[in-house]
Amino acid sequence: MPTKTHSPAPSDKALVPFVSVDHMMQLIHMHGVADMLRGLARYIEEDFRRWEKFDKTPRIASHSPGGVIELMPTSDGEAYGFKYVNGHPKNTAEGLQTVTAFGLLADVATGYPVLLTEMTLLTALRTAATSALVARTLAPKGATTMAMIGNGAQSEFQSLAMQALCGITHVRLYDTDAAATAKCAGNLAGSGLHVTACATPEEALEGAQIITTCTADKRRATILTGNMVGSGVHINAIGGDCPGKTEIAPDVLNRADIFVEFPEQTRIEGDIQQLDPDHPVTEIWQVLTGAAQGRHSDAQITLFDGVGFAIEDFSALRFIRDRIVGTHCFEPLDMLADPDDPRDLFGMLMRAQPD
Amino acid sequence: MPTKTHSPAPSDKALVPFVSVDHMMQLIHMHGVADMLRGLARYIEEDFRRWEKFDKTPRIASHSPGGVIELMPTSDGEAYGFKYVNGHPKNTAEGLQTVTAFGLLADVATGYPVLLTEMTLLTALRTAATSALVARTLAPKGATTMAMIGNGAQSEFQSLAMQALCGITHVRLYDTDAAATAKCAGNLAGSGLHVTACATPEEALEGAQIITTCTADKRRATILTGNMVGSGVHINAIGGDCPGKTEIAPDVLNRADIFVEFPEQTRIEGDIQQLDPDHPVTEIWQVLTGAAQGRHSDAQITLFDGVGFAIEDFSALRFIRDRIVGTHCFEPLDMLADPDDPRDLFGMLMRAQPD
């Protein structure tokens, strides 16, 4: 650390709590993954139930040949949040992450930031919490088994969220890469879940009431086709999440009742990009408020075409803001200039001159 | 600081250099205000000269009864930058700043952030550097005296930038609040500038070749009216910078040749919001590249209707990114999750478990 200058310590409001990656991991371990997932789902449900209060600005994307950088802002009129997130598929070749993310929450009344946080881990948690919140609402009662197709970075979080929120006891794993399945199974050892590594997607689907697809192929893939999917299941389709990237065959989509976060976004990014732009879908927030019907029969196939929406990040930011209170899982950042007299910014600078 | 967990130290690329308010003040004192202003003007000029390379997204504003929160992104295809800035006029009543700002620069090729910095001080510097860069281009040759109307937070920065870049030796101060003038004069003591506190705006204008207006009134004010302004001067009008806030009487605007940053934005935010939407203006970047004419006669009144544009913030971020190299004026922030295997985010979390 450099020598402090003579400037007086900044006031409390000028210090922005910052949650680093290390802090986030400490916070998760302090509470346990299951508790964090349940807490997040509570905040997300709360925000989904007051969906109409939110300013739903489309994300602002800056595209380049190598990828995209996006800002995802939203506000409920009291708090304002945004997430910075990039997507650069070629990064892994250079030992970098494809996606990195951080987020900020601010107070609408003053414009002052109140939280800056890593959001790579937090996004993984909120994505899983959203899936499980939706599955708790739509999956057949008494579901015990989930098929997990695609055993990448999101697979453990999905499995643990379905355990924590929906009471799933068995997970059946499948990935085209057996090493990914082994990694996921290893990470879930000790979770209390019965984990079965499967050699084919068909095997993974045996006896599953919930089917989660989360594969990484950036193309029109068909992970689930018609003859694989029986009646009565809930499909949690979260890997089809950008234009040109889908997982579910149209005949499965056509047999299912489809639930989405925000139709305007999902029709561009989700699996339903394969369907007509006026294909009927139900907004999940309306199911949560009771304004729309969820599952209405045992034979029905429900499908959540999840793409991730800014309001979920907002809920996650609110959750972390509240959860770090009284912990050491943050550090105050001296990010906002705070002269005693706002007209005397220069005087503040002069008084900070070293001897 | 909390106990470190067992996670391995993040890789260099996962650490984002952060420049706090205190760091920024140290950096300014290390080089001196004049050198920082000259350096910033160099970067801004460089970016203005390649204006057409930039993605000129409009700012994304979130309005509320108390104020506005804005994100101002831009990119030149190699770097991507955005500034977060709020404007809450009522904040001062609660002892808070009206405006706070921070910014981020990222690498377009990877999407990785490369700099996070305070931007309240930095915006003050870049605003003054832009004004002086424009004045150096448009003001009459041999200008020695500037009238500074409005002696708030920006006044010292404007004065020093005009000294550092345009060779101004005399500053004549006026403010409706004599305390503001005394504050500005006090802060400029020792700068080498001859400073005169004036009792009226007319007195401040005596002998001035450059007239800077930077008043804070959020309304249609007329700081400069027709009979006050003689021929041959350069007007640096920077206080009229949002809808409903203007400083210059239409008859002065009509007598002047008007230069702007980005017409689409200035016609909404600048003093020219008072004129017809097709009133002729010249883009300052075109004067710098030689594509358009600047001052062409001694009698001409030139007027820079400055409102501040995202590209100037981008230049400022680039400047700070380069200027902190080899200094202690930043700290590395553990902001980006960096698992050894991108598919094993959960494993990274598990390995961070404390004993």
Side-chain angles (χ1 to χ4, degrees), chain B residues 8 17 28 36 63 66 86 91 97 102 107 129 188 196 200 221 268 287:
Chain B
I28 296 169
M36 290 289 278
H63 294 276
N86 76 296
N91 272 6
Q97 310 305 313
F102 71 90
D107 176 22
L188 291 176
T196 309
T200 65
I268 297 167
V287 180

Side-chain angles (χ1 to χ4, degrees), chain A residues 6-52:
Chain A
H6 291 187
S7 48
S11 81
D12 279 358
K13 289 224 173 176
L15 295 174
V16 180
F18 166 62
V19 177
S20 70
V21 177
D22 195 54
H23 287 137
M24 185 63 76
M25 295 196 291
Q26 291 178 43
L27 191 69
I28 296 169
H29 287 300
M30 184 180 295
H31 295 281
V33 177
D35 181 72
M36 290 288 278
L37 288 163
R38 279 189 291 258
L40 276 163
R42 223 164 30 238
Y43 276 65
I44 295 167
E45 180 169 11
E46 203 176 292
D47 288 341
F48 273 36
R49 283 174 180 271
R50 57 195 188 106
W51 188 259
E52 287 161 301

Side-chain angles (χ1 to χ4, degrees), chain A residues 12 15-28 30-31 113-118 317 319-334, chain B residues 1-3 331 333-334:
Chain A
D12 279 358
L15 295 174
V16 180
F18 166 62
V19 177
S20 70
V21 177
D22 195 54
H23 287 137
M24 185 63 76
M25 295 196 291
Q26 291 178 43
L27 191 69
I28 296 169
M30 184 180 295
H31 295 281
V114 297
L115 174 70
L116 176 73
T117 178
E118 86 82 33
L317 288 166
F319 174 71
I320 295 300
R321 176 199 61 192
D322 294 349
R323 198 46 82 95
I324 59 172
V325 174
T327 76
H328 295 288
C329 297
F330 67 92
E331 64 176 298
L333 279 195
D334 166 28
Chain B
M1 287 287 292
T3 330
E331 66 176 295
L333 279 196
D334 167 28

Side-chain angles (χ1 to χ4, degrees), chain A residues 107-113 336-345, chain B residues 64 66-70 84-101 120 153 216-218 241-242 245:
Chain A
D107 176 21
V108 166
T110 63
Y112 270 52
L336 311 176
D338 182 40
D340 297 330
D341 174 358
R343 293 180 313 179
D344 198 14
L345 191 63
Chain B
S64 61
V68 63
I69 296 176
E70 295 181 333
Y84 170 105
V85 59
N86 76 296
H88 286 70
K90 289 178 201 154
N91 272 6
T92 42
E94 300 168 53
L96 298 174
Q97 310 305 313
T98 301
V99 174
T100 66
T120 308
D217 250 354
K218 197 170 175 172
D241 63 354
C242 65
K245 180 162 179 269

